[in-house]
Amino acid sequence: MRGSSSSGAVGLSLYLISSHLTHDCDPNVEITFVGNTDKAAIRTLRPVAKGEELHVSFVSTDLDRETRQKKLSSQYRITCSCDKCKAENAAAEEKTKAEAEEKAEKESEEKTSQEAEAEAEAEAEVTETSEQN
C-alpha cells in the first residue's frame, strides 16, 4: 500500500513477537530486517540475561531527553520513565539547582558589595562634614 505520507512508508506489517517489545531509551535489542525482505529479526545490542525483558527504542537514542520525551508523547502518547530518562532528569534538576544557587550567591555578593560602597560613601560624607565644622 503506497501512502501519501512524507515518511516514504510503503506498507504496514504486524510482527507478533516485536509487537510485545516495550520502549526504553537505553534498549537492549533492535528490530532489523533480513536483507531486502519482509522478514524481521530481533538483534541484541548488549548481553541480555535470562528472563530480562526486551526493550527497543521507539525514537533515536541520540536525541536529548527533552526531544525524546516530546517525540514519545506526540507520536506514541507515552511518557518515558526508563533509567536513562530518570538519570538525565536528575542531572538536569541538579544542574538547575546549582545554577540557582550560583545566581543567588552572585546576587548576595553584589548586594554586599553595594552595601559596602554605600557605607564607604556615608563614612566619607561624615568625615567631610566633620572636617568642614
Side-chain angles (χ1 to χ4, degrees):
M1 156 172 46
R2 290 228 180 250
S4 61
S5 71
S6 62
S7 68
V10 177
L12 301 171
S13 300
L14 175 64
Y15 294 87
L16 293 178
I17 292 186
S18 62
S19 68
H20 292 283
L21 300 174
T22 58
H23 167 79
D24 194 297
C25 292
D26 186 22
N28 54 9
V29 298
E30 69 179 358
I31 299 171
T32 61
F33 290 88
V34 182
N36 196 15
T37 69
D38 61 353
K39 295 186 187 312
I42 297 172
R43 183 174 76 91
T44 59
L45 300 172
R46 58 178 170 78
V48 177
K50 183 177 181 178
E52 181 180 352
E53 189 172 346
L54 302 179
H55 300 283
V56 295
S57 183
F58 295 167
V59 296
S60 172
T61 56
D62 295 331
L63 299 172
D64 62 83
R65 178 185 52 87
E66 186 177 333
T67 305
R68 288 193 318 266
Q69 290 288 355
K70 284 179 182 176
K71 283 185 173 276
L72 289 167
S73 177
S74 67
Q75 295 175 0
Y76 298 97
R77 305 278 190 250
I78 62 172
T79 300
C80 185
S81 59
C82 70
D83 290 341
K84 181 177 180 176
C85 284
K86 286 178 186 175
E88 290 176 1
N89 190 44
E93 286 176 0
E94 187 63 34
K95 181 180 178 187
T96 300
K97 181 181 174 184
E99 288 171 348
E101 289 173 355
E102 185 178 311
K103 181 180 178 185
E105 186 176 317
K106 191 179 237 183
E107 288 173 353
S108 176
E109 288 173 1
E110 288 174 2
K111 184 178 179 183
T112 302
S113 176
Q114 289 171 351
E115 289 171 350
E117 287 176 20
E119 190 176 302
E121 286 177 14
E123 284 180 23
E125 286 179 15
V126 168
T127 303
E128 189 176 301
T129 304
S130 296
E131 288 176 358
Q132 289 176 357
N133 290 334

PDB file of all heavy atoms in Angstrom, residues 117-133:
ATOM      1  N   GLU A 117      29.898  49.760  49.465  1.00  0.00           N
ATOM      2  CA  GLU A 117      30.117  51.032  48.772  1.00  0.00           C
ATOM      3  C   GLU A 117      29.279  52.140  49.402  1.00  0.00           C
ATOM      4  O   GLU A 117      29.761  53.257  49.618  1.00  0.00           O
ATOM      5  CB  GLU A 117      29.769  50.898  47.286  1.00  0.00           C
ATOM      6  CG  GLU A 117      30.775  50.111  46.477  1.00  0.00           C
ATOM      7  CD  GLU A 117      30.338  49.925  45.025  1.00  0.00           C
ATOM      8  OE1 GLU A 117      29.478  50.695  44.535  1.00  0.00           O
ATOM      9  OE2 GLU A 117      30.859  48.999  44.383  1.00  0.00           O
ATOM     10  N   ALA A 118      28.019  51.835  49.709  1.00  0.00           N
ATOM     11  CA  ALA A 118      27.130  52.831  50.321  1.00  0.00           C
ATOM     12  C   ALA A 118      27.654  53.230  51.703  1.00  0.00           C
ATOM     13  O   ALA A 118      27.629  54.413  52.077  1.00  0.00           O
ATOM     14  CB  ALA A 118      25.715  52.273  50.430  1.00  0.00           C
ATOM     15  N   GLU A 119      28.147  52.259  52.456  1.00  0.00           N
ATOM     16  CA  GLU A 119      28.700  52.538  53.782  1.00  0.00           C
ATOM     17  C   GLU A 119      29.945  53.405  53.675  1.00  0.00           C
ATOM     18  O   GLU A 119      30.122  54.358  54.446  1.00  0.00           O
ATOM     19  CB  GLU A 119      29.035  51.214  54.487  1.00  0.00           C
ATOM     20  CG  GLU A 119      29.397  51.365  55.939  1.00  0.00           C
ATOM     21  CD  GLU A 119      29.616  50.022  56.605  1.00  0.00           C
ATOM     22  OE1 GLU A 119      28.673  49.203  56.585  1.00  0.00           O
ATOM     23  OE2 GLU A 119      30.719  49.807  57.131  1.00  0.00           O
ATOM     24  N   ALA A 120      30.793  53.117  52.696  1.00  0.00           N
ATOM     25  CA  ALA A 120      32.013  53.911  52.494  1.00  0.00           C
ATOM     26  C   ALA A 120      31.650  55.340  52.105  1.00  0.00           C
ATOM     27  O   ALA A 120      32.270  56.293  52.582  1.00  0.00           O
ATOM     28  CB  ALA A 120      32.895  53.265  51.424  1.00  0.00           C
ATOM     29  N   GLU A 121      30.651  55.483  51.245  1.00  0.00           N
ATOM     30  CA  GLU A 121      30.204  56.817  50.846  1.00  0.00           C
ATOM     31  C   GLU A 121      29.655  57.584  52.053  1.00  0.00           C
ATOM     32  O   GLU A 121      29.918  58.773  52.223  1.00  0.00           O
ATOM     33  CB  GLU A 121      29.137  56.726  49.752  1.00  0.00           C
ATOM     34  CG  GLU A 121      29.686  56.338  48.399  1.00  0.00           C
ATOM     35  CD  GLU A 121      28.592  56.176  47.350  1.00  0.00           C
ATOM     36  OE1 GLU A 121      27.434  56.615  47.592  1.00  0.00           O
ATOM     37  OE2 GLU A 121      28.884  55.604  46.287  1.00  0.00           O
ATOM     38  N   ALA A 122      28.883  56.872  52.897  1.00  0.00           N
ATOM     39  CA  ALA A 122      28.317  57.518  54.087  1.00  0.00           C
ATOM     40  C   ALA A 122      29.426  57.958  55.032  1.00  0.00           C
ATOM     41  O   ALA A 122      29.384  59.062  55.596  1.00  0.00           O
ATOM     42  CB  ALA A 122      27.356  56.560  54.792  1.00  0.00           C
ATOM     43  N   GLU A 123      30.441  57.126  55.213  1.00  0.00           N
ATOM     44  CA  GLU A 123      31.578  57.473  56.078  1.00  0.00           C
ATOM     45  C   GLU A 123      32.333  58.668  55.502  1.00  0.00           C
ATOM     46  O   GLU A 123      32.756  59.562  56.240  1.00  0.00           O
ATOM     47  CB  GLU A 123      32.528  56.287  56.226  1.00  0.00           C
ATOM     48  CG  GLU A 123      32.025  55.208  57.150  1.00  0.00           C
ATOM     49  CD  GLU A 123      32.998  54.044  57.277  1.00  0.00           C
ATOM     50  OE1 GLU A 123      34.208  54.242  57.030  1.00  0.00           O
ATOM     51  OE2 GLU A 123      32.532  52.950  57.603  1.00  0.00           O
ATOM     52  N   ALA A 124      32.485  58.687  54.193  1.00  0.00           N
ATOM     53  CA  ALA A 124      33.182  59.800  53.546  1.00  0.00           C
ATOM     54  C   ALA A 124      32.411  61.102  53.761  1.00  0.00           C
ATOM     55  O   ALA A 124      33.009  62.156  54.018  1.00  0.00           O
ATOM     56  CB  ALA A 124      33.361  59.519  52.063  1.00  0.00           C
ATOM     57  N   GLU A 125      31.083  61.051  53.683  1.00  0.00           N
ATOM     58  CA  GLU A 125      30.258  62.233  53.906  1.00  0.00           C
ATOM     59  C   GLU A 125      30.380  62.712  55.343  1.00  0.00           C
ATOM     60  O   GLU A 125      30.472  63.909  55.612  1.00  0.00           O
ATOM     61  CB  GLU A 125      28.791  61.930  53.579  1.00  0.00           C
ATOM     62  CG  GLU A 125      28.518  61.828  52.100  1.00  0.00           C
ATOM     63  CD  GLU A 125      27.058  61.494  51.803  1.00  0.00           C
ATOM     64  OE1 GLU A 125      26.201  61.614  52.707  1.00  0.00           O
ATOM     65  OE2 GLU A 125      26.787  61.113  50.656  1.00  0.00           O
ATOM     66  N   VAL A 126      30.387  61.756  56.297  1.00  0.00           N
ATOM     67  CA  VAL A 126      30.519  62.106  57.717  1.00  0.00           C
ATOM     68  C   VAL A 126      31.878  62.753  57.953  1.00  0.00           C
ATOM     69  O   VAL A 126      31.988  63.782  58.623  1.00  0.00           O
ATOM     70  CB  VAL A 126      30.332  60.853  58.613  1.00  0.00           C
ATOM     71  CG1 VAL A 126      30.759  61.147  60.045  1.00  0.00           C
ATOM     72  CG2 VAL A 126      28.903  60.376  58.559  1.00  0.00           C
ATOM     73  N   THR A 127      32.921  62.185  57.360  1.00  0.00           N
ATOM     74  CA  THR A 127      34.271  62.723  57.514  1.00  0.00           C
ATOM     75  C   THR A 127      34.340  64.120  56.911  1.00  0.00           C
ATOM     76  O   THR A 127      34.900  65.049  57.506  1.00  0.00           O
ATOM     77  CB  THR A 127      35.303  61.796  56.847  1.00  0.00           C
ATOM     78  OG1 THR A 127      35.182  60.502  57.411  1.00  0.00           O
ATOM     79  CG2 THR A 127      36.708  62.316  57.006  1.00  0.00           C
ATOM     80  N   GLU A 128      33.751  64.283  55.742  1.00  0.00           N
ATOM     81  CA  GLU A 128      33.775  65.579  55.059  1.00  0.00           C
ATOM     82  C   GLU A 128      33.004  66.623  55.874  1.00  0.00           C
ATOM     83  O   GLU A 128      33.447  67.759  56.026  1.00  0.00           O
ATOM     84  CB  GLU A 128      33.128  65.427  53.662  1.00  0.00           C
ATOM     85  CG  GLU A 128      33.278  66.647  52.786  1.00  0.00           C
ATOM     86  CD  GLU A 128      32.699  66.382  51.410  1.00  0.00           C
ATOM     87  OE1 GLU A 128      33.173  65.431  50.728  1.00  0.00           O
ATOM     88  OE2 GLU A 128      31.795  67.124  51.032  1.00  0.00           O
ATOM     89  N   THR A 129      31.874  66.224  56.424  1.00  0.00           N
ATOM     90  CA  THR A 129      31.077  67.150  57.240  1.00  0.00           C
ATOM     91  C   THR A 129      31.809  67.528  58.507  1.00  0.00           C
ATOM     92  O   THR A 129      31.806  68.691  58.921  1.00  0.00           O
ATOM     93  CB  THR A 129      29.713  66.482  57.595  1.00  0.00           C
ATOM     94  OG1 THR A 129      29.059  66.093  56.410  1.00  0.00           O
ATOM     95  CG2 THR A 129      28.829  67.438  58.367  1.00  0.00           C
ATOM     96  N   SER A 130      32.502  66.562  59.138  1.00  0.00           N
ATOM     97  CA  SER A 130      33.264  66.810  60.351  1.00  0.00           C
ATOM     98  C   SER A 130      34.407  67.770  60.075  1.00  0.00           C
ATOM     99  O   SER A 130      34.712  68.651  60.888  1.00  0.00           O
ATOM    100  CB  SER A 130      33.837  65.529  60.920  1.00  0.00           C
ATOM    101  OG  SER A 130      32.815  64.659  61.309  1.00  0.00           O
ATOM    102  N   GLU A 131      35.054  67.614  58.942  1.00  0.00           N
ATOM    103  CA  GLU A 131      36.189  68.453  58.592  1.00  0.00           C
ATOM    104  C   GLU A 131      35.724  69.876  58.292  1.00  0.00           C
ATOM    105  O   GLU A 131      36.464  70.845  58.542  1.00  0.00           O
ATOM    106  CB  GLU A 131      36.933  67.880  57.385  1.00  0.00           C
ATOM    107  CG  GLU A 131      37.705  66.625  57.715  1.00  0.00           C
ATOM    108  CD  GLU A 131      38.364  66.004  56.481  1.00  0.00           C
ATOM    109  OE1 GLU A 131      38.191  66.517  55.364  1.00  0.00           O
ATOM    110  OE2 GLU A 131      39.048  64.990  56.663  1.00  0.00           O
ATOM    111  N   GLN A 132      34.528  70.023  57.773  1.00  0.00           N
ATOM    112  CA  GLN A 132      34.002  71.355  57.472  1.00  0.00           C
ATOM    113  C   GLN A 132      33.603  72.104  58.740  1.00  0.00           C
ATOM    114  O   GLN A 132      33.633  73.311  58.788  1.00  0.00           O
ATOM    115  CB  GLN A 132      32.800  71.261  56.546  1.00  0.00           C
ATOM    116  CG  GLN A 132      33.168  70.843  55.143  1.00  0.00           C
ATOM    117  CD  GLN A 132      31.927  70.668  54.269  1.00  0.00           C
ATOM    118  OE1 GLN A 132      30.799  70.800  54.738  1.00  0.00           O
ATOM    119  NE2 GLN A 132      32.152  70.370  53.011  1.00  0.00           N
ATOM    120  N   ASN A 133      33.255  71.365  59.780  1.00  0.00           N
ATOM    121  CA  ASN A 133      32.834  72.002  61.041  1.00  0.00           C
ATOM    122  C   ASN A 133      34.016  72.298  61.844  1.00  0.00           C
ATOM    123  O   ASN A 133      34.661  72.868  62.347  1.00  0.00           O
ATOM    124  CB  ASN A 133      31.904  71.083  61.846  1.00  0.00           C
ATOM    125  CG  ASN A 133      30.557  70.941  61.168  1.00  0.00           C
ATOM    126  OD1 ASN A 133      30.150  71.826  60.444  1.00  0.00           O
ATOM    127  ND2 ASN A 133      29.905  69.847  61.451  1.00  0.00           N
TER     128      ASN A 133
END
